[in-house]
Amino acid sequence: MSDTPIPIPPLDGDGPIWLQIRRSMALAILTGDWPAGTRVPAETSLTDIYAASRMTVNKAIQSLASEGLVERRPRTGTIVTARARERPVLEIWDAADAVRRDGRRYGYRLLSCDMLAPGAPARGDLPAPADAAMMRMLCLHSSDDRPFQLEERLVNVAAAPRIVRQPLETVSPGAWLLANVPWTQARHRISARGATAAVAGHLALAEGEACLVVERRTWNADVPVTMGRFWYPGDDHALEGQFRPSW
């Protein structure tokens, strides 16, 4: 681990300071400016850099630690983790991480993005108040120009209001949410399904061909944040994880 000063993204001026600090640090991690093994500046240094109290800085770092982006080590400090390699199987790896980890070229395309009307059947995939504004996206992730993952995404706008102003054509909604919106609870479901006609078209499969499907829903306290449904071609994808005991 190097002690060379690392770049610190500026605060964006939007919302509570601890969330701005969290976004600043998460952005540096997700873009690779802070690669795995990077030692994060000490809290005392960050209080000067961000002109914030130590309590505020600590809250931001704790939030990142709870999601596995950093690890707090006694006598060493806070270290950026190898996120994709160390997450358990029931967490969803970022598609870009999974592709690049294997030395392949990652690609991303936003296929559609719209607001769901009240009463739309798809709203049932993310329990929220009937009048809540809800955004729906469909994204295709590729590996060496081949379809790797089809992502269906619902976002409760009340839980992530800034997402309506983001350029999701260049940043996937999953990566943006991870960097910008904290969550306290996640639920997963893994299943095997036959590809629908629409899914098959995007993944270059025959209709009915087996797919691995992972669904993830997250909440911030009791507020639903997002639902992601991720379709993978079943013949060349597997989930794996590394586990450590909790004691």
Side-chain angles (χ1 to χ4, degrees):
M1 291 176 288
S2 171
D3 290 322
T4 303
I6 59 176
I8 309 289
L11 302 184
D12 57 24
D14 189 354
I17 297 298
W18 80 269
L19 277 178
Q20 293 186 48
I21 294 172
R22 181 190 184 282
R23 287 196 295 268
S24 168
M25 298 173 68
L27 179 64
I29 295 169
L30 293 172
T31 59
D33 286 344
W34 295 5
T38 297
R39 181 183 287 110
V40 175
E43 288 185 12
T44 51
S45 297
L46 291 174
T47 59
D48 293 334
I49 292 169
Y50 290 123
S53 71
R54 187 163 182 175
M55 182 180 297
T56 298
V57 169
N58 179 268
K59 184 175 182 180
I61 294 175
Q62 285 289 86
S63 175
L64 294 173
S66 71
E67 296 185 21
L69 297 184
V70 300
E71 180 182 357
R72 314 196 81 170
R73 300 177 183 174
R75 298 183 297 278
T76 300
T78 301
I79 307 299
V80 176
T81 62
R83 298 181 305 114
R85 292 182 184 274
E86 296 180 359
R87 285 184 170 185
V89 67
L90 288 184
E91 289 194 43
I92 296 175
W93 287 328
D94 179 72
D97 281 343
V99 170
R100 291 169 179 153
R101 182 192 60 200
D102 290 337
R104 293 174 289 170
R105 185 176 64 259
Y106 170 72
Y108 162 76
R109 185 156 54 102
L110 179 66
L111 302 175
S112 65
C113 181
D114 58 8
M115 300 297 294
L116 283 177
R123 295 174 68 96
D125 286 330
L126 183 63
D131 58 350
M134 192 168 295
M135 199 169 178
R136 174 176 59 184
M137 288 142 281
L138 185 66
C139 315
L140 183 64
H141 305 264
S142 62
S143 171
D144 286 344
D145 298 323
R146 294 180 55 204
F148 173 77
Q149 177 200 90
L150 182 67
E151 174 184 354
E152 299 178 55
R153 175 74 65 172
L154 295 180
V155 177
N156 177 12
V157 175
R162 295 174 62 244
I163 197 169
V164 298
R165 306 194 302 272
Q166 301 311 306
L168 297 175
E169 294 81 7
T170 55
V171 177
S172 73
W176 186 89
L177 287 163
L178 182 61
N180 290 275
V181 183
W183 56 273
T184 58
Q185 180 186 172
R187 296 177 190 169
H188 297 81
R189 182 173 184 269
I190 302 174
S191 61
R193 300 189 199 176
T196 64
V199 169
H202 291 304
L203 292 180
L205 303 173
E207 185 175 354
E209 193 167 338
C211 291
L212 176 67
V213 182
V214 182
E215 293 183 3
R216 182 189 195 189
R217 292 169 176 83
T218 61
W219 287 259
N220 188 5
D222 59 350
V223 178
V225 177
T226 185
M227 186 284 299
R229 180 179 296 117
F230 308 91
W231 295 78
Y232 299 89
D235 62 349
D236 65 353
H237 191 85
L239 293 177
E240 59 180 276
Q242 176 177 318
F243 297 85
R244 296 178 180 174
S246 58
W247 35 267

